[in-house]
């Protein structure tokens, strides 16, 4: 696949941001109701359940990090409200959703979680079912790992994106492997997945947020690349790359949006004002796409731009 090349010397977050030329055509914020004074952010892209458009989002008070994942449907006024038939996934953050082998697969980050070493941290939990509102737990990820993402490949197998931190992974690197089926995915196979070629500087971090199987057999990955600035404020940028699941070779990372592309707004803390956390990408038949993202750990936004995987 000539369009997929290994980036042998990854550019820094600042360099990629400096090369970025915004292609945004329009943008805005999503409005929510039915959650009191809590914020809704780090959303998924909308998905269809029957004839309804549904979004899953992280629901959290501004002054804490204890959240729930809730499912919202869009009203005729364009405002999203909690779906009366949907479960509330208590204690989970940062939802993700996909379809695999005819089932819905929903994931979220459990925080706080009591880890095997006795410490308090986080881990991901996954659920599956014929309906996104009728789910059963089937997988718990390794301790201290976020941004695990699953995708059904064209041959029916499952691509698994991982994100170890610490001794392996530093502040966060992306790993990948292929499982024959959902039942073959375990915390051990996730924890030992090989890392992709370096995609950021050692002081920076990356993660996968959503994966799209493409007609040529590659996978289009929507993710984030992030870094600290001189005053320890976080900068998160939505980014994309393509991956060949047969070889795990990737195209270079490319930033597709920045905080300034969205309308201004509040942030949970001053050091999070420049955080754009990729949620999902709705791709249309006209070569355009809509990016959905969390903004400043307090709001949710959308951005229309050319489909980065066309």
């Amino acid at each position: 696949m000539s369009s997929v090349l290994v980036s042998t010397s990854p550019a820094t977050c600042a360099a990629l941001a400096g090369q970025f030329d915004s292609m945004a055509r329009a943008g805005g914020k999503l409005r929510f109701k039915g959650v009191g004074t809590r914020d809704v952010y780090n959303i998924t892209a909308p998905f269809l359940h029957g004839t309804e458009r549904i979004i899953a989002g992280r629901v959290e008070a501004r002054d804490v990090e204890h959240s729930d994942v809730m499912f919202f449907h869009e009203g005729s006024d364009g405002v999203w409200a909690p779906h009366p038939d949907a479960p509330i996934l208590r204690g989970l953050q940062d939802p993700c959703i996909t379809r695999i082998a005819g089932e819905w697969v929903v994931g979220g980050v459990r925080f706080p979680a009591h880890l095997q070493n006795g410490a308090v941290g986080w881990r991901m939990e996954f659920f599956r079912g014929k309906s996104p509102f009728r789910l059963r737990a089937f997988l718990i990820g390794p301790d201290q790992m976020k941004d695990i993402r699953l995708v059904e490949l064209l041959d029916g197998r499952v691509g698994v994106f991982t994100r170890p931190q610490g001794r392996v992974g530093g502040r966060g690197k992306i790993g990948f492997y292929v499982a024959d089926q959902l039942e073959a995915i375990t915390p051990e196979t996730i924890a030992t997945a090989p890392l992709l070629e370096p995609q950021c500087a050692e002081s920076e971090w990356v993660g996968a947020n959503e994966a799209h199987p493409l007609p040529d057999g590659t996978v289009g990955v929507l993710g984030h690349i992030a870094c600290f600035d001189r005053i320890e404020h976080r900068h998160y940028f939505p980014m994309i790359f393509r991956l060949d699941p047969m070889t795990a070779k990737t195209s270079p990372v490319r930033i597709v949006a920045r905080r300034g592309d969205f309308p201004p707004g509040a942030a949970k803390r001053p050091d999070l004002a420049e955080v754009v956390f990729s949620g999902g990408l709705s791709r249309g038949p006209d070569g355009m796409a809509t990016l959905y993202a969390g903004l400043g750990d307090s709001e949710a936004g959308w951005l229309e731009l050319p489909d980065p995987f066309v």
Side-chain angles (χ1 to χ4, degrees):
M1 281 169 253
S2 59
S3 61
V4 180
L5 303 173
V6 174
S7 178
T8 55
S9 53
T12 65
C13 193
L16 290 172
Q19 299 164 7
F20 172 70
D21 184 14
S22 178
M23 300 288 286
R25 305 289 178 83
K29 295 180 186 176
L30 280 69
R31 294 179 294 153
F32 294 88
K33 63 182 179 183
V35 294
T37 60
R38 290 179 293 172
D39 297 322
V40 182
Y41 67 101
N42 290 6
I43 54 172
T44 65
F47 58 92
L48 281 179
H49 178 48
T51 59
E52 290 187 294
R53 289 208 324 152
I54 308 294
I55 274 180
R58 174 174 173 171
V59 182
E60 182 177 277
R62 185 69 58 90
D63 58 347
V64 300
E65 290 191 23
H66 296 84
S67 65
D68 300 322
V69 166
M70 296 178 64
F71 295 85
F72 299 86
H73 61 150
E74 188 177 21
S76 59
D77 57 357
V79 179
W80 297 81
H83 196 290
D85 299 329
I88 298 175
L89 304 180
R90 301 288 186 186
L92 295 188
Q93 306 174 343
D94 304 342
C96 57
I97 188 162
T98 190
R99 296 291 302 273
I100 296 176
E103 289 190 290
W104 295 92
V105 177
V106 176
V109 177
R110 171 72 60 190
F111 177 82
H114 296 284
L115 309 182
Q116 293 181 5
N117 64 4
V120 174
W122 57 83
R123 66 169 70 93
M124 285 198 69
E125 298 179 7
F126 289 88
F127 308 81
R128 61 192 288 189
K130 295 297 183 181
S131 163
F133 298 165
R134 301 290 183 269
L135 299 167
R136 66 186 189 279
F138 80 98
L139 174 64
I140 296 177
D143 288 354
Q144 298 292 77
M145 188 183 293
K146 301 181 181 182
D147 299 328
I148 302 166
R149 296 295 186 267
L150 311 179
V151 61
E152 185 173 32
L153 304 176
L154 296 188
D155 63 6
R157 295 186 298 164
V158 183
V160 183
F161 291 89
T162 71
R163 184 177 173 269
Q165 293 177 277
R167 183 178 60 83
V168 177
R171 285 182 166 160
K173 302 291 190 297
I174 298 175
F176 178 79
Y177 78 103
V178 177
D180 287 336
Q181 56 189 354
L182 287 174
E183 291 78 6
I185 304 172
T186 68
E188 293 73 27
T189 60
I190 293 170
T192 57
L195 295 182
L196 300 179
E197 292 290 332
Q199 296 174 299
C200 65
E202 277 301 313
S203 61
E204 301 173 350
W205 62 102
V206 289
N209 293 97
E210 188 184 61
H212 296 255
L214 302 177
D216 65 355
T218 64
V219 176
V221 181
L222 171 69
H224 59 274
I225 184 168
C227 59
F228 287 107
D229 63 20
R230 293 179 180 177
I231 57 173
E232 294 295 300
H233 283 194
R234 292 167 171 83
H235 294 253
Y236 276 66
F237 299 91
M239 61 80 163
I240 60 97
F241 63 92
R242 290 168 69 112
L243 174 138
D244 181 344
M246 301 300 292
T247 65
K249 294 186 184 299
T250 64
S251 66
V253 163
R254 178 165 67 88
I255 287 175
V256 294
R258 61 188 171 196
R259 182 63 185 88
D261 289 324
F262 297 87
K268 193 177 189 73
R269 301 191 309 262
D271 64 307
L272 302 174
E274 295 298 320
V275 169
V276 182
F277 189 76
S278 304
L281 196 68
S282 291
R283 305 171 64 222
D286 59 352
M288 297 298 293
T290 303
L291 169 68
Y292 292 85
L295 306 176
D297 278 15
S298 66
E299 300 179 300
W302 61 272
L303 200 68
E304 186 181 86
L305 68 166
D307 187 338
F309 300 130
V310 169

